[in-house]
Amino acid sequence: QVQLVESGGGSVQAGGSLRLSCATSVSIFSIKTMGWYRQAPGKQRELVAAITSGGSTTYADSVKGRFTISRDNAENTVYLQMNSLKPEDTAVYYCRISTIWATDYWGQGTQVTVSS
């Protein structure tokens, strides 16, 4: 059974930092893209950042220059380093793994709350 285990969420004041982690049991050789999405109350889930197997990255305009996505292939883990956090970054953050077989897996979500 595929597992995605997220960690690192929490509460922080504006300007602070958090680091999210998502460890997966999906074989690294099957992974096409690893990404982070977020969903705020009353809003649609949106892409925050993604990284391909080749290391190419994509970021939402709202987080460029503040967030950094990275992956550790040896640990089958993707990270999201979030700096200069703003209240509008408050959301549930989800990890998503897309495989070369066109299958997507989602994590359970982790809450990030940024207070002003």
Side-chain angles (χ1 to χ4, degrees):
Q1 184 176 355
V2 171
Q3 289 187 319
L4 277 70
V5 180
E6 299 173 6
S7 61
S11 297
V12 65
Q13 290 190 328
S17 298
L18 287 172
R19 189 193 195 203
L20 305 183
S21 300
C22 175
T24 179
S25 61
V26 177
S27 167
I28 194 66
F29 300 106
S30 299
I31 296 175
K32 182 178 180 181
T33 306
M34 307 175 86
W36 289 96
Y37 289 69
R38 67 185 180 188
Q39 187 167 17
K43 295 187 176 181
Q44 290 188 331
R45 191 172 297 189
E46 62 176 359
L47 172 68
V48 177
I51 184 167
T52 69
S53 57
S56 297
T57 57
T58 300
Y59 294 95
D61 288 342
S62 59
V63 307
K64 284 181 181 177
R66 300 188 297 122
F67 292 10
T68 302
I69 189 169
S70 61
R71 58 192 288 174
D72 184 334
N73 289 337
E75 298 293 331
N76 281 22
T77 300
V78 60
Y79 302 96
L80 185 67
Q81 177 66 44
M82 305 185 293
N83 299 328
S84 302
L85 282 161
K86 304 176 181 180
E88 50 263 43
D89 294 319
T90 295
V92 178
Y93 284 70
Y94 297 90
C95 173
R96 176 187 179 185
I97 305 295
S98 299
T99 73
I100 60 175
W101 315 112
T103 302
D104 291 334
Y105 300 99
W106 290 88
Q108 78 281 4
T110 185
Q111 177 70 46
V112 171
T113 302
V114 184
S115 58
S116 57

